[in-house]
C-alpha cells in the first residue's frame, strides 16, 4: 500500500519509451540494460513514495482528514522508522541495479544514479524539501521525464539526441498531471501545514490550467519525433480530454477518480508510443 503501485506507471513508462526509441539506433536495445533500468527506476519511485509517506506524517501533512488513499504511517499500520528502513533498502537495491549500467555507460550513469537517489529523499526530506517549496512539478518533469527517458536511451545507445529529450518531456508531463491532481485534491490540508505546492501558491484555477497543459503537451512533443510512427499515441487523446474535463468539474475526494484516469492515460500513451516504434 505504501509503495503506491497504481502510480508506478511514472517509473515504468519512461523506461519503455526510452527503450523504444533506442530500438531504432544501430546498437538496438540490450535486454539486461532494460531490466536494470526498469527495476532501478521502480525501486527509486517506491523509495520516494515511502519517504513521502513517513515524512508527510511527521510534518502533519497526512492526517485522519486526508482525502486520498490510506497512508500506512498516518493510519498506524507501520511506524515511520519501518517505512524509512524499507525506503533505504529500496535505494540500496536501485544502487545495485545501477552498477552494471555504470560499467556500460560510465560517468553519465554515475551522475544520473547518484542524483536520482539523493533526490528521492530531497523531494520531501532534508533542509529544503522540494515538495514543500512548490518545486514538485520541476522535480517530476526532470526525473520522471528527461532523466528517466534520456538515461534509459543513453544506457542502450551510449548517445543523447533531441528525440529522447522530446520523449522525456512527454513522459514527464504525464507524470506531472498525476502530481498536480494529487496536490489539487490535498490543497486544504497542504495549506494548513504550510506545504506550499503550486496549487497553494497560485490557486486551484492555475492548477487546473497546468493539468490541461501537461495532459495535452505530450501529443505535440511526439509529433516532432516521427509523426507517422507516433500517430498511434493519438489513441490516448480522448482520455486526456476526459481527464481535463473531470478535473475542471470536480474537487476534493472526487479527484481520486481523476488520478486513476491520469494513470490510465500514462499507460495508454506509453504503450501506444512503444507500439508506434514497432511499426
Amino acid at each position: 500500500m505504501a509503495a503506491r503501485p497504481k502510480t508506478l506507471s511514472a517509473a515504468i513508462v519512461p523506461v519503455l519509451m526510452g527503450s523504444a526509441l533506442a530500438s531504432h539506433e544501430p546498437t538496438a536495445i540490450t535486454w539486461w540494460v532494460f531490466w536494470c533500468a526498469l527495476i532501478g527506476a521502480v525501486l527509486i519511485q517506491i523509495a520516494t513514495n515511502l519517504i513521502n509517506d513517513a515524512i508527510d506524517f511527521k510534518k502533519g501533512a497526512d492526517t485522519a482528514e486526508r482525502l486520498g488513499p490510506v497512508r500506512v504511517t498516518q493510519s498506524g499500520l507501520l511506524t515511520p522508522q519501518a517505512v524509512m528502513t524499507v525506503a533505504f533498502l529500496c535505494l540500496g537495491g536501485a544502487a545495485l541495479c545501477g552498477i552494471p549500467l555504470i560499467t556500460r555507460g560510465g560517468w553519465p550513469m554515475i551522475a544520473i544514479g547518484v542524483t536520482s537517489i539523493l533526490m528521492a529523499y530531497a523531494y520531501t526530506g532534508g533542509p529544503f524539501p522540494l515538495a514543500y517549496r512548490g518545486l514538485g512539478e520541476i522535480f517530476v518533469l526532470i526525473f520522471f521525464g528527461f532523466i528517466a527517458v534520456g538515461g534509459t536511451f543513453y544506457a542502450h545507445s551510449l548517445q543523447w539526441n533531441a528525440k529522447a529529450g522530446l520523449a522525456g518531456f512527454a513522459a514527464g508531463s504525464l507524470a506531472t498531471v498525476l502530481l498536480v491532481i494529487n496536490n489539487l485534491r490535498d490543497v486544504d490540508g497542504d495549506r494548513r501545514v504550510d506545504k506550499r505546492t503550486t496549487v497553494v501558491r497560485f490557486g486551484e484555477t492555475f492548477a487546473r490550467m497546468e493539468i490541461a497543459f501537461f495532459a495535452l503537451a505530450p501529443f505535440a512533443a511526439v509529433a516532432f519525433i516521427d509523426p507517422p510512427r507516433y500517430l498511434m499515441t493519438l489513441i490516448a487523446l480522448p482520455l486526456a480530454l476526459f481527464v481535463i474535463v473531470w478535473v475542471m468539474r470536480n474537487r476534493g475526494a472526487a479527484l481520486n477518480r481523476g488520478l486513476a484516469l491520469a494513470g490510465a492515460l500514462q499507460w495508454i500513451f506509453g504503450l501506444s508510443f512503444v507500439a508506434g516504434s514497432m511499426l
Side-chain angles (χ1 to χ4, degrees):
M1 190 185 298
R4 306 178 199 175
K6 292 181 180 180
T7 70
L8 294 183
S9 59
I12 297 171
V13 167
V15 175
L16 294 177
M17 292 175 65
S19 298
L21 280 178
S23 68
H24 295 283
E25 298 301 316
T27 54
I29 65 170
T30 306
W31 285 108
W32 67 263
V33 168
F34 170 80
W35 287 111
C36 284
L38 182 65
I39 295 170
V42 169
L43 287 175
I44 287 175
Q45 188 186 351
I46 290 174
T48 305
N49 290 342
L50 293 171
I51 293 167
N52 177 258
D53 194 302
I55 292 180
D56 273 356
F57 169 71
K58 289 181 178 180
K59 292 185 176 182
D62 284 348
T63 67
E65 288 74 37
R66 75 182 308 275
L67 301 175
V70 173
R71 291 289 177 259
V72 297
T73 313
Q74 177 271 320
S75 63
L77 294 173
L78 292 172
T79 65
Q81 293 78 11
V83 173
M84 291 296 288
T85 297
V86 178
F88 287 123
L89 287 174
C90 287
L91 292 179
L96 290 176
C97 289
I99 292 173
L101 300 178
I102 290 169
T103 63
R104 177 176 174 83
W107 69 264
M109 302 311 300
I110 296 176
I112 288 172
V114 171
T115 305
S116 298
I117 287 172
L118 290 175
M119 289 297 104
Y121 181 79
Y123 179 67
T124 46
F128 192 82
L130 303 178
Y132 283 75
R133 299 294 184 271
L135 299 174
E137 287 90 333
I138 295 174
F139 168 86
V140 168
L141 194 59
I142 291 174
F143 286 94
F144 290 92
F146 293 114
I147 288 180
V149 176
T152 300
F153 179 81
Y154 179 83
H156 284 297
S157 66
L158 300 180
Q159 62 175 318
W160 310 97
N161 66 28
K163 291 181 178 180
L166 288 167
F169 173 75
S173 294
L174 294 170
T176 301
V177 172
L178 287 168
L179 172 73
V180 181
I181 294 176
N182 183 80
N183 290 345
L184 182 61
R185 181 199 63 207
D186 295 339
V187 61
D188 293 332
D190 290 344
R191 192 178 286 117
R192 283 195 297 270
V193 297
D194 199 33
K195 185 176 181 180
R196 299 187 60 78
T197 63
T198 54
V199 189
V200 172
R201 287 178 179 271
F202 304 118
E204 295 185 28
T205 299
F206 173 85
R208 288 181 168 87
M209 293 301 102
E210 193 178 15
I211 290 165
F213 172 79
F214 283 116
L216 296 176
F219 300 96
V222 297
F224 290 98
I225 297 176
D226 188 342
R229 180 172 288 138
Y230 296 113
L231 277 175
M232 284 196 70
T233 59
L234 292 177
I235 293 171
L237 183 57
L239 182 55
L241 296 172
F242 189 70
V243 168
I244 293 169
V245 172
W246 184 273
V247 169
M248 294 294 179
R249 292 181 175 178
N250 292 279
R251 75 182 312 274
L255 290 173
N256 287 324
R257 176 64 173 166
L259 274 173
L261 292 169
L265 170 63
Q266 189 168 38
W267 277 116
I268 294 171
F269 184 94
L271 293 175
S272 62
F273 184 95
V274 172
S277 73
M278 297 170 65
L279 295 177

